[in-house]
Amino acid sequence: MTTVQAATAGRFVGQAVPRKEDPRLLTGRGRYVDDVRLPGMLHAHFVRSDVARARITRLDVSAARQAPGVVAVLTADDLNAKAGPMLPTLFVGGAMGRGAPVVPLAPGDVRFVGDPVAMIVAEDRYAAEDAADLVEVDYDPLPPIVDYESALSGTGTVHPGWDGNIAAQMEVPVDPGLQEIFDTAAHVVTETFHQHRYSAVPMETRGVVAHWDPYREQMDVWLASQNPHEARLVFSRVTGLPENRIRVMIGDVGGGFGLKNFTGREEQVVVLASYVLGRPVKWAEDRREHLIASAHARVERVTARVAVDGEGKFLAAHVDHMDDVGAYPIGGGSAGAMVALFFSGPYRMGRLAWRTASVFTNTCGRAAYRGPWQMETTAREQMVDVVARAIGMDPLELRRRNVVRREELPYTMPGGMVLEHVSPLETLEQAAAAIDYAGFRASQAAALADGQLLGIGLSLYVEPQTGMGPFANEPAQMRIQPDGRVDVFLGSGAHGQGLETTTAQLVAEHLGVDIDDVTVHQGDTESTPFGPGTGGSRSGPMLGAAVQQAATSMRDKVFAIAGHLLEASPDDLAMEKGVISVAGSPQASITLAHVAGAAYLNSGALPPGLEPGLEVMVRYKAPAGMYSNACHACTVSVDRASGAVRVLRYVVSEDCGVMINPNIVEGQIAGGVAQGIGGALLEHNVYDDDGNPLAATFLDYLLPTAGDIPDIEYHHIETPASTLGGYKGVGEGGAIGAPPSVFNAVADALAQVGAHITDQPLTPARVREALG
Ligand code: MCN
């Protein structure tokens, strides 16, 4: 591993400070949802459909209701009429059109294997699971809609009334001018790529404990979530309770990867059940449920058509995108328009037309997964290599000719967004040099002569950060206590990405206190300001800026008081480790604790007109567009006999602006790359033609292990963003860039022997088949 010292390193910002949360998490002292135990707590278990599409002709729960330890068996008849709308705010607010018609429990028919039909609530989990065997359900099966590509034209609908199974569709058609470019270009290359179904699989599955106390009129919810305030809104709508009677606490979260950004159906049902029963209820999803019924991702197809001139310059592109959103997508799931609009990514691509359709099927719903729109990178970067082979140009050279250069910024992409503060060419060159692209090409030829297949793959991307719409502002609240210690309250909530550390670094840097004197509070809606949670790599740019803004305004107030007490100008003051001193006269100093004491307890000592106390609340507003960018480069070997792929080297050159903590940045890249390599080579939520999920355990759903992931080599370019502090996001990037770079490396290896491949996952069987 190569860690490059951050170019903009301050005393804390830019330093590889060890993660403050790790001693707790690594010694098993984290507080996850399943650790919560309340007196009188009941346990929920869902009875789920084992057919993909059917009418329920009989549902008899009477025996289950009599089973030992069972407190209640709830069905659609018991719960559905009591539920308010279950959609995320984006849909309820109308910002994203219609959402899937989700209700608590299956309403007379089932729409995917895993659809919850009934809920058993019992004294313990064993009793609940045993009673599930006593629930009798008769199904009248209907032909399931499993293949999204034929779902539009086929017969039957997943949801009654949603003819054609279209969840959403949009189009910017080819106009005559664009058609002319296609008609006259030196080359027009068309290819179709499929990305397969794989999913987030966090270490901690979904989980919730809900406790409705009718006497306090208070609903307390412990939840595995990335987004506590959105969850509270959702629980408020589904129960009808006012938001301020609901408290959501997320504690430690063992990964979310987008899945936990929106609040799932089961979590809402558990909250509703607690409200109906007046008892605390816990549900901890098991791994089988997680694999078949939490949410799936990717499952999409792009047919790309690219017009290229005689020098290899891209002139225009058409993108035909389609994705499978399953039966009940969480948060809408699809990002079709973004796939199309960002297809040009870091390249000049002239003109762009596109269409996209999201299709319901009788499968598990789609959710956001680490770069929900990343098919734009997968399809584009794979397409760049296809074009390169078609026109006989090296893929690195083709990228060099088309990549947007710094001097062209701000650059308006054909989709209309404006790229700024990015460095695609610089990361391309840095990665190519680091992986010794030219040297590899020489050794590749020598290896082939020896009968060995080696390949090299590149992928570039620009990643938009969610600072738009409801994500366009981010709060941070800060209080300095009378003893001088600092509390920071975030509207956000980490689910593994180290915000306790990076927030403390920012406060230490910009306020001037010891990092150990900062305590970060997050994830509890009772004490933290309303915020849109983590996701879309927004903590760096949005939360980082909000915390910096709060620290700076707090410092201004501290200096105003200190200057008054020291009879010095606030402009002449500096603070380090909580000691404020006057420039040029170090003996004139005062502690932060002294200032804080005065602020709260001695209002008479404060400058005239200054409000007592040391409390600051800010809401940082996002600039128009924020993009981070990166180039991934990897080399692979392909075993000709078995089709097995081995990733040999993996290089990442990334630009997330000013790095708050290079260690955390690299950890984020590592996690994303591991997920991306797993996705490209191994992970697959397979369904059979009858809609049965075939990968319901980790024996069949293959995750990458340490042996599958090479040491990742990190390189950084720091192009500050226009955000306060210049931070951009990094968390999603690895999972965006890795699948196409691995794919391109394998396709590159295969192309040497005339073999061609278009789809992932790159299983040994598929690679062998391509090799013929
Ligand atoms: N950071 C930094 N310097 C920067 C940018 C970010 O030091 N210039 C730090 C941040 O302070 C934060 C971390 O890097 O501690 C990630 O920040 P960012 O890239 O802004 O992403 P978010 O915190 O908004 O996290 C979301 C992102 C996404 S979208 C997914 S999905 C994801 C991820 O990050 N899921 C994760 N990282 C994950 N990491 C873990 N362990 N578990 C998940 O589920």
Side-chain angles (χ1 to χ4, degrees):
M1 291 190 191
T2 49
T3 297
V4 176
Q5 177 64 43
T8 49
R11 284 167 307 164
F12 295 96
V13 169
Q15 303 295 344
V17 172
R19 288 182 19 136
K20 281 166 85 92
E21 45 276 85
D22 279 355
R24 176 177 87 244
L25 298 178
L26 296 177
T27 55
R29 267 113 176 146
R31 204 283 286 138
Y32 299 92
V33 169
D34 205 26
D35 296 318
V36 175
R37 286 178 180 78
L38 302 180
M41 187 172 77
L42 303 172
H43 297 260
H45 175 71
F46 288 96
V47 178
R48 296 179 184 275
S49 169
D50 51 14
V51 288
R53 181 167 174 243
R55 271 186 289 274
I56 298 172
T57 53
R58 190 175 70 95
L59 173 59
D60 185 351
V61 297
S62 51
R65 282 190 173 132
Q66 303 309 317
V70 169
V71 172
V73 180
L74 302 169
T75 66
D77 288 345
D78 306 303
L79 272 193
N80 290 15
K82 298 188 169 79
M86 295 181 73
L87 291 171
T89 307
L90 283 174
F91 284 86
V92 172
M96 283 185 55
R98 297 198 297 174
V102 63
V103 290
L105 295 166
D109 69 335
V110 290
R111 303 179 190 180
F112 73 102
V113 170
D115 208 345
V117 171
M119 181 197 205
I120 317 245
V121 185
E123 297 293 347
D124 63 50
R125 185 162 177 160
Y126 302 101
E129 295 205 17
D130 285 350
D133 292 340
L134 302 174
V135 172
E136 294 176 26
V137 197
D138 291 343
Y139 295 106
D140 178 12
L142 297 161
I145 296 147
V146 184
D147 171 36
Y148 68 104
E149 292 185 84
S150 56
L152 288 179
S153 49
T155 51
T157 54
V158 173
H159 299 299
W162 293 63
D163 293 339
N165 295 309
I166 294 173
Q169 63 180 342
M170 287 173 83
E171 180 168 15
V172 173
V174 176
D175 60 32
L178 184 52
Q179 188 57 49
E180 199 185 326
I181 299 175
F182 280 118
D183 292 342
T184 55
H187 313 274
V188 176
V189 185
T190 304
E191 186 61 276
T192 298
F193 303 102
H194 285 93
Q195 191 159 220
H196 59 295
R197 181 185 293 270
Y198 61 103
S199 44
V201 290
M203 279 202 277
E204 184 194 21
T205 54
R206 294 183 297 158
V208 58
V209 176
H211 181 198
W212 167 244
D213 181 341
Y215 300 99
R216 285 190 306 136
E217 293 186 8
Q218 170 78 21
M219 176 74 80
D220 289 331
V221 184
W222 292 261
L223 186 70
S225 168
Q226 296 172 229
N227 203 341
H229 293 274
E230 159 72 10
R232 187 177 61 165
L233 261 174
V234 167
F235 295 141
S236 165
R237 280 195 296 266
V238 78
T239 56
L241 287 167
E243 270 186 85
N244 65 358
R245 305 313 312 169
I246 301 175
R247 176 181 184 186
V248 175
M249 294 157 275
I250 69 170
D252 291 311
V253 180
F257 309 113
L259 165 72
K260 294 175 184 165
N261 211 335
F262 296 98
T263 309
R265 181 181 182 185
E266 285 85 345
E267 292 95 315
Q268 296 187 56
V269 175
V270 171
V271 168
L272 198 58
S274 174
Y275 188 42
V276 168
L277 299 171
R279 301 265 309 260
V281 181
K282 174 190 273 191
W283 173 66
E285 184 180 53
D286 69 27
R287 191 53 75 179
R288 179 175 178 279
E289 288 181 292
H290 182 79
L291 284 168
I292 69 170
S294 62
H296 292 165
R298 312 298 193 227
V299 217
E300 50 207 321
R301 181 203 78 189
V302 160
T303 298
R305 185 154 50 113
V306 177
V308 188
D309 76 8
E311 267 74 57
K313 298 239 171 76
F314 301 144
L315 301 173
H318 183 262
V319 181
D320 187 358
H321 170 259
M322 198 172 179
D323 68 350
D324 178 347
V325 296
Y328 295 106
I330 300 183
S334 174
M338 282 182 79
V339 171
L341 288 169
F342 285 103
F343 179 77
S344 60
Y347 303 105
R348 278 172 256 108
M349 219 172 252
R351 300 276 320 278
L352 179 72
W354 52 275
R355 66 177 179 192
T356 171
S358 300
V359 181
F360 290 122
T361 59
N362 292 115
T363 63
C364 178
R366 181 181 166 123
Y369 173 39
R370 217 164 188 173
W373 58 88
Q374 68 85 259
M375 187 60 178
E376 50 79 30
T377 298
T378 292
R380 178 192 59 250
E381 291 303 314
Q382 294 178 187
M383 191 63 186
V384 172
D385 276 36
V386 169
V387 170
R389 278 193 288 278
I391 68 172
M393 189 180 284
D394 185 88
L396 172 58
E397 179 56 26
L398 184 62
R399 285 183 171 81
R400 280 183 175 139
R401 290 192 185 192
N402 287 286
V403 77
V404 173
R405 284 151 198 273
R406 266 195 176 150
E407 56 274 19
E408 295 169 274
L409 301 175
Y411 175 79
T412 305
M413 302 163 83
M417 286 75 60
V418 179
L419 269 186
E420 255 190 296
H421 311 295
V422 290
S423 54
L425 179 64
E426 290 73 12
T427 54
L428 176 67
E429 296 298 355
Q430 193 180 52
I435 206 154
D436 185 17
Y437 192 89
F440 178 84
R441 283 284 180 222
S443 55
Q444 183 184 31
L448 183 65
D450 238 14
Q452 241 194 315
L453 282 186
L454 302 181
I456 190 161
L458 297 168
S459 90
L460 278 155
Y461 62 85
V462 290
E463 187 204 338
Q465 257 96 65
T466 43
M468 298 168 271
F471 307 105
N473 73 80
E474 181 68 33
Q477 195 174 28
M478 191 177 293
R479 291 183 214 147
I480 297 181
Q481 304 301 345
D483 68 356
R485 301 299 204 286
V486 186
D487 287 296
V488 192
F489 298 84
L490 311 181
S492 193
H495 50 287
Q497 66 275 54
L499 296 181
E500 280 172 57
T501 307
T502 47
T503 301
Q505 285 177 258
L506 287 162
V507 175
E509 178 84 38
H510 294 286
L511 183 59
V513 294
D514 193 300
I515 196 163
D516 291 330
D517 285 345
V518 182
T519 301
V520 178
H521 305 263
Q522 48 179 337
D524 183 343
T525 56
E526 194 163 83
S527 56
T528 61
F530 186 93
T534 53
S537 301
R538 61 193 303 287
S539 297
M542 294 298 293
L543 181 62
V547 171
Q548 180 166 333
Q549 192 180 330
T552 311
S553 18
M554 181 64 94
R555 195 192 51 205
D556 290 347
K557 186 160 188 191
V558 167
F559 283 4
I561 299 172
H564 189 70
L565 296 175
L566 291 167
E567 296 179 358
S569 161
D571 296 339
D572 293 336
L573 300 182
M575 174 154 68
E576 197 166 346
K577 292 200 168 187
V579 178
I580 303 146
S581 50
V582 184
S585 36
Q587 70 289 359
S589 68
I590 191 172
T591 64
L592 179 59
H594 188 127
V595 172
Y600 290 104
L601 306 168
N602 190 4
S603 307
L606 301 183
L610 196 83
E611 197 180 322
L614 287 177
E615 291 148 328
V616 162
M617 167 76 210
V618 303
R619 233 167 235 288
Y620 178 74
K621 284 211 214 96
M626 295 178 282
Y627 297 89
S628 47
N629 65 279
C631 178
H632 289 211
C634 72
T635 58
V636 299
S637 68
V638 177
D639 185 273
R640 289 177 91 155
S642 67
V645 173
R646 180 149 198 81
V647 182
L648 303 173
R649 281 186 67 196
Y650 206 100
V651 168
V652 177
S653 166
E654 70 74 46
D655 186 345
C656 65
V658 175
M659 288 186 280
I660 303 166
N661 186 327
N663 206 21
I664 288 184
V665 165
E666 292 179 359
Q668 288 293 309
I669 297 168
V673 167
Q675 285 184 308
I677 293 177
L681 299 181
L682 298 163
E683 299 178 43
H684 195 179
N685 301 102
V686 181
Y687 276 89
D688 69 12
D689 292 344
D690 295 324
N692 294 306
L694 302 181
T697 73
F698 281 157
L699 278 180
D700 297 307
Y701 188 92
L702 302 179
L703 287 168
T705 60
D708 298 305
I709 312 294
D711 275 354
I712 298 165
E713 302 162 46
Y714 308 95
H715 300 270
H716 305 280
I717 306 268
E718 287 189 275
T719 310
S722 58
T723 46
L724 181 65
Y727 321 115
K728 302 186 278 193
V730 68
E732 282 170 309
I736 295 173
S741 69
V742 173
F743 179 91
N744 282 343
V746 172
D748 181 60
L750 266 52
Q752 297 171 96
V753 291
H756 182 64
I757 198 159
T758 52
D759 297 343
Q760 300 177 22
L762 300 156
T763 57
R766 176 170 280 141
V767 173
R768 245 191 349 257
E769 194 187 326
L771 282 166

Short mmCIF file of all heavy atoms in Angstrom, two decimals, residues 348 403-411 422 425-426:
data_model
loop_
_atom_site.label_atom_id
_atom_site.label_comp_id
_atom_site.label_asym_id
_atom_site.label_seq_id
_atom_site.Cartn_x
_atom_site.Cartn_y
_atom_site.Cartn_z
N ARG A 348 -15.31 14.18 -23.30
CA ARG A 348 -16.06 15.00 -24.25
C ARG A 348 -16.81 14.03 -25.14
O ARG A 348 -16.21 13.13 -25.72
CB ARG A 348 -15.09 15.80 -25.12
CG ARG A 348 -14.58 17.06 -24.50
CD ARG A 348 -13.49 17.66 -25.37
NE ARG A 348 -12.18 17.42 -24.77
CZ ARG A 348 -11.28 16.57 -25.23
NH1 ARG A 348 -11.49 15.88 -26.32
NH2 ARG A 348 -10.13 16.40 -24.60
N VAL A 403 -10.55 12.54 -22.89
CA VAL A 403 -10.83 12.94 -21.51
C VAL A 403 -10.85 14.47 -21.40
O VAL A 403 -10.08 15.17 -22.06
CB VAL A 403 -9.80 12.26 -20.57
CG1 VAL A 403 -8.45 12.97 -20.62
CG2 VAL A 403 -10.32 12.15 -19.17
N VAL A 404 -11.76 14.98 -20.58
CA VAL A 404 -11.86 16.42 -20.37
C VAL A 404 -10.61 16.89 -19.61
O VAL A 404 -10.21 16.27 -18.63
CB VAL A 404 -13.13 16.76 -19.55
CG1 VAL A 404 -13.16 18.23 -19.19
CG2 VAL A 404 -14.38 16.37 -20.32
N ARG A 405 -10.01 17.96 -20.10
CA ARG A 405 -8.78 18.46 -19.48
C ARG A 405 -9.07 19.63 -18.55
O ARG A 405 -10.08 20.31 -18.71
CB ARG A 405 -7.80 18.90 -20.58
CG ARG A 405 -7.16 17.72 -21.23
CD ARG A 405 -6.75 17.90 -22.67
NE ARG A 405 -6.56 16.58 -23.27
CZ ARG A 405 -5.41 15.92 -23.21
NH1 ARG A 405 -4.35 16.46 -22.67
NH2 ARG A 405 -5.32 14.70 -23.73
N ARG A 406 -8.15 19.84 -17.64
CA ARG A 406 -8.36 20.91 -16.64
C ARG A 406 -8.65 22.25 -17.28
O ARG A 406 -9.50 23.00 -16.82
CB ARG A 406 -7.12 21.03 -15.76
CG ARG A 406 -7.25 20.21 -14.52
CD ARG A 406 -6.23 20.59 -13.48
NE ARG A 406 -6.49 19.81 -12.27
CZ ARG A 406 -5.57 19.44 -11.41
NH1 ARG A 406 -4.31 19.75 -11.61
NH2 ARG A 406 -5.90 18.74 -10.35
N GLU A 407 -7.94 22.51 -18.40
CA GLU A 407 -8.10 23.84 -19.01
C GLU A 407 -9.48 24.00 -19.65
O GLU A 407 -9.88 25.11 -20.01
CB GLU A 407 -6.97 24.14 -20.02
CG GLU A 407 -6.78 23.14 -21.14
CD GLU A 407 -5.87 21.95 -20.78
OE1 GLU A 407 -5.68 21.70 -19.57
OE2 GLU A 407 -5.37 21.28 -21.69
N GLU A 408 -10.22 22.89 -19.80
CA GLU A 408 -11.57 22.99 -20.38
C GLU A 408 -12.65 23.20 -19.31
O GLU A 408 -13.83 23.32 -19.63
CB GLU A 408 -11.90 21.72 -21.16
CG GLU A 408 -11.01 21.51 -22.38
CD GLU A 408 -11.20 20.12 -22.96
OE1 GLU A 408 -10.52 19.18 -22.49
OE2 GLU A 408 -12.01 19.97 -23.87
N LEU A 409 -12.26 23.19 -18.06
CA LEU A 409 -13.24 23.35 -16.97
C LEU A 409 -13.59 24.81 -16.77
O LEU A 409 -12.72 25.67 -16.96
CB LEU A 409 -12.68 22.76 -15.68
CG LEU A 409 -12.30 21.28 -15.74
CD1 LEU A 409 -11.64 20.84 -14.42
CD2 LEU A 409 -13.51 20.40 -16.03
N PRO A 410 -14.79 25.19 -16.37
CA PRO A 410 -15.93 24.29 -16.19
C PRO A 410 -16.42 23.75 -17.53
O PRO A 410 -16.48 24.49 -18.51
CB PRO A 410 -16.99 25.18 -15.54
CG PRO A 410 -16.59 26.58 -15.89
CD PRO A 410 -15.11 26.59 -16.08
N TYR A 411 -16.76 22.47 -17.53
CA TYR A 411 -17.14 21.81 -18.77
C TYR A 411 -18.60 21.35 -18.66
O TYR A 411 -18.96 20.65 -17.70
CB TYR A 411 -16.23 20.59 -18.99
CG TYR A 411 -16.64 19.77 -20.18
CD1 TYR A 411 -16.31 20.17 -21.47
CD2 TYR A 411 -17.39 18.60 -20.01
CE1 TYR A 411 -16.71 19.43 -22.58
CE2 TYR A 411 -17.79 17.86 -21.11
CZ TYR A 411 -17.45 18.27 -22.38
OH TYR A 411 -17.85 17.55 -23.47
N VAL A 422 -12.32 18.94 -11.11
CA VAL A 422 -12.01 17.52 -11.29
C VAL A 422 -10.69 17.38 -12.04
O VAL A 422 -10.20 18.34 -12.64
CB VAL A 422 -13.13 16.77 -12.06
CG1 VAL A 422 -14.37 16.63 -11.21
CG2 VAL A 422 -13.44 17.45 -13.38
N LEU A 425 -7.78 13.63 -16.34
CA LEU A 425 -6.54 13.30 -17.06
C LEU A 425 -5.41 13.01 -16.07
O LEU A 425 -4.64 12.05 -16.24
CB LEU A 425 -6.14 14.46 -17.99
CG LEU A 425 -4.84 14.22 -18.76
CD1 LEU A 425 -4.99 13.05 -19.73
CD2 LEU A 425 -4.43 15.48 -19.52
N GLU A 426 -5.33 13.81 -15.02
CA GLU A 426 -4.25 13.63 -14.05
C GLU A 426 -4.35 12.26 -13.37
O GLU A 426 -3.35 11.59 -13.15
CB GLU A 426 -4.30 14.75 -12.99
CG GLU A 426 -3.91 16.13 -13.51
CD GLU A 426 -4.96 16.79 -14.40
OE1 GLU A 426 -6.10 16.30 -14.48
OE2 GLU A 426 -4.62 17.80 -15.05
#
